[in-house]
């Protein structure tokens, strides 16, 4: 029954605004502590640390919780908006 | 002349309640929600205490999409493999007036949003408000894309991440120390299986909170709620120290769902959804601006949430504050004055209600919870004492008093007394 976090997100309903990220980050942000906060805390597991110490991030599975904004807006997180009207995650259960 | 008496931003419980109450009194209101339907962006652990909605829509549970009525409360202290559980089962929990229901917001909020529309509110789902219009220090409307809409008053019910209040300078940015992140998984199972696994009949439900290993040393814990045909399982984790945790939230979620206490309960279940949301946790100290010229703030956006360890309450506060915001607007409309001086009646109503009173009673609780012993040492201590009590392996018996003392000393008797005293004082 082990599902990866990507597989788990795969059961959700998303309307992805292709090419228009609602969150933008600085993947090369120097302070490792800041980057680790995001890797630890994002409930979508969308922030991943690469071997070279940079961050990779995919906005497509975003649950719009705002955690990364609260933790790192102004450091790693450069922009955080809600997705455009009608876009993003749609909870059928919630 | 404004187009509307009131514009309400956010079709969650606070916003839809406000719109419903205003529309019922015949006011011209517009309820705006960025998701495609009320509730499509919202998540909660599970349990709605009925009292506040009951006053507005009597017997709501008969028509609303509620899951199960809670008759069973469980609290567990967990270590990696052990669990010590308190189980309280009573029909008193389900009595009218003190009843509570497990809800799923995608369905429940949608119902309330539609109720507001039926009552006469104009609703706009799938529309994001980008900004508030502020003129001469007074909120006069909202901007959505390139459209401007005006109202005598704007009610902000846009949730814990109220970007609108922040942008307009009405509220400071939320701090990591004031909130927790919640993650939840909904597991589908036939009703019969759920009833058998939890010892429930009919529409009875269980609410279950977990302290100890689930939060892996962070302030927080696990939760489980039984729905009609699914189980909601999740974690709430304080953000202040999350960067120092050795596990990611996903690793903690996997460990929790594989815990020997949990795994059999979700065996053969199908994952239906994975969600995330932030919980305001700082109680009274996080409540900020509540009203001003032309605006009111209610629900999570105002910081109205109580997390006191063995229970989380935000939904009943969101509903009651939405109702009070609506009543303040009705009074302002009668006077024809929407200035802060008139809207202050909102604060007066809040102060006299359970919202401010309960927030005041539990105001020391958030700082008490920051004590790491609560989440690490106490669950371990309880599990060791239980092991000493119940494990028989042929070695000579030691009096229980001695067995327990050994483990109490590990934590430190002074600490135990101090924490016990502080804990009792904070609740
Ligand atoms: C994991 C977890 C467990 C919880 N457990 C419980 C529990 O068991 N019991 C309990 O009582 N409480 C619980 N809570 C707290 C409770 O869920 C909240 O207090 C409650 O949801 C607040 O309702 P609200 O209407 O104020 O805000 P929300 O439900 O957040 O609604 C805000 C609405 O505004 C909309 N919105 C935001 N910005 C815009 C914009 N710019 N334009 C248009 N629309 C916008 C959103 O889409 C959303 O619909 C829990 C919370 C979490 C996260
Ligand atoms: S908003 Fe939440 S889910 Fe989305 S990227 Fe940030 S932390 Fe992850």
């Amino acid at each position: 029954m082990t599902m990866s976090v990507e597989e788990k997100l795969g059961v959700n309903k998303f309307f992805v605004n292709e090419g228009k990220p609602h969150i933008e980050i600085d993947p090369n942000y120097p302070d490792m502590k800041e980057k680790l906060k995001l890797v630890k805390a994002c409930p979508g597991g969308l922030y991943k640390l690469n071997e070279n110490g940079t961050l990779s991030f995919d906005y497509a599975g975003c649950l719009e919780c705002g955690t990364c904004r609260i933790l790192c807006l102004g450091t790693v997180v450069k922009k955080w908006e809600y997705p455009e009207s009608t876009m993003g995650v749609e909870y059928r259960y919630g | 002349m404004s187009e509307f008496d009131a514009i309400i931003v956010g079709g969650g419980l606070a916003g839809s309640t406000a719109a419903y109450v205003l529309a019922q009194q015949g006011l011209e209101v517009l309820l705006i929600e960025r998701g495609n339907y009320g509730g499509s962006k919202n998540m909660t652990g599970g349990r709605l205490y009925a009292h506040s909605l009951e006053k507005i829509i009597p017997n709501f549970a008969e028509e609303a999409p509620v899951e199960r009525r809670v008759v069973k409360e469980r609290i567990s202290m967990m270590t990696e493999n052990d669990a010590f559980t308190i189980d309280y089962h009573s029909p008193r929990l389900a009595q009218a007036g003190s009843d509570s229901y497990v809800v799923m917001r995608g369905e429940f909020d949608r119902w309330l949003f539609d109720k507001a529309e039926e009552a006469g509110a104009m609703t706009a789902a799938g529309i994001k408000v980008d900004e508030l219009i502020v003129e001469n220090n007074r909120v006069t409307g909202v901007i959505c894309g390139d459209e401007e809409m005006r109202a005598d008053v704007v009610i902000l019910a846009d949730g814990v991440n109220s970007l609108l209040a922040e942008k307009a300078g009405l509220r400071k940015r939320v701090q990591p120390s004031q909130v927790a992140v919640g993650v939840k998984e909904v597991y589908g199972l036939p009703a019969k299986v759920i009833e058998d696994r939890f010892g429930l009949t009919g529409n009875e439900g269980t609410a279950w909170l977990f302290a100890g290993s689930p939060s892996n040393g962070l302030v927080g814990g696990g939760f489980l709620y039984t729905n009609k045909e699914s189980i909601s399982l999740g974690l709430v984790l304080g953000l202040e120290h999350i960067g120092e945790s050795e596990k990611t939230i996903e690793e903690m979620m996997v460990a929790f769902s594989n815990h020997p206490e949990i795994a059999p309960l979700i065996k053969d279940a199908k994952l239906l959804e994975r969600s995330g949301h932030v919980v305001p946790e700082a109680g009274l100290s996080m409540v900020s601006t509540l009203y001003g010229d032309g605006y009111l703030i209610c629900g999570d956006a105002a910081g109205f949430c109580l997390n006191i360890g063995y229970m989380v309450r935000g939904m009943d506060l969101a509903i009651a504050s939405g109702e009070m915001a609506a009543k303040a607007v009705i009074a302002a409309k009668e006077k024809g004055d929407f200035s802060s001086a008139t809207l202050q009646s909102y604060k007066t109503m809040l102060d006299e209600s359970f919202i401010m009173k309960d927030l005041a009673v539990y105001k020391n609780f958030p700082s008490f919870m920051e004590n790491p012993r609560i989440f690490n040492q106490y669950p371990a201590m309880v599990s060791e004492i239980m092991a000493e009590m119940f494990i028989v392996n042929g070695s000579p018996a030691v009096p229980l008093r001695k067995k327990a003392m050994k483990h109490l000393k590990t934590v430190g008797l002074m600490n135990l007394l101090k924490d016990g005293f502080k804990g009792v004082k904070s609740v």
Side-chain angles (χ1 to χ4, degrees), chain A residues 82, chain B residues 9-14 32-34 41-47 105 127-129 157-159 164 182 223 225 236 277-279 299-300 305 312-315 318:
Chain A
Y82 287 119
Chain B
V9 187
L13 294 178
I32 309 178
E33 165 57 43
R34 67 187 181 90
K41 300 289 185 184
N42 305 342
M43 176 268 248
T44 195
R47 181 222 300 250
R105 305 289 297 281
I127 305 278
K128 177 172 74 151
V129 173
D158 53 342
L164 296 172
F223 62 84
Y225 295 95
V236 170
H277 204 283
V278 161
V279 202
D300 270 9
C305 196
V312 184
R313 284 173 58 191
M315 292 190 279

Side-chain angles (χ1 to χ4, degrees), chain A residues 17-66:
Chain A
N17 206 353
E18 299 291 348
K20 281 202 168 168
H22 61 288
I23 300 173
E24 283 167 20
I25 67 154
D26 173 2
N28 301 310
Y29 192 77
D31 184 350
M32 184 54 81
K33 269 197 179 154
E34 287 292 295
K35 290 183 282 196
L36 280 177
K37 284 185 197 169
L38 299 171
V39 174
K40 299 286 159 70
C42 171
L46 303 169
Y47 290 88
K48 294 208 170 68
L49 202 58
N50 300 319
E51 268 176 26
N52 64 3
T54 61
L55 265 186
S56 62
F57 170 67
D58 181 4
Y59 71 96
C62 177
L63 303 170
E64 299 165 35
C65 68

Side-chain angles (χ1 to χ4, degrees), chain A residues 71-89:
Chain A
L71 287 172
C72 294
L73 184 67
T75 63
V76 186
V77 177
K78 293 294 163 206
K79 174 188 121 173
W80 199 102
E81 295 289 341
Y82 287 119
E84 286 310 307
S85 300
T86 76
M87 305 308 278
V89 70

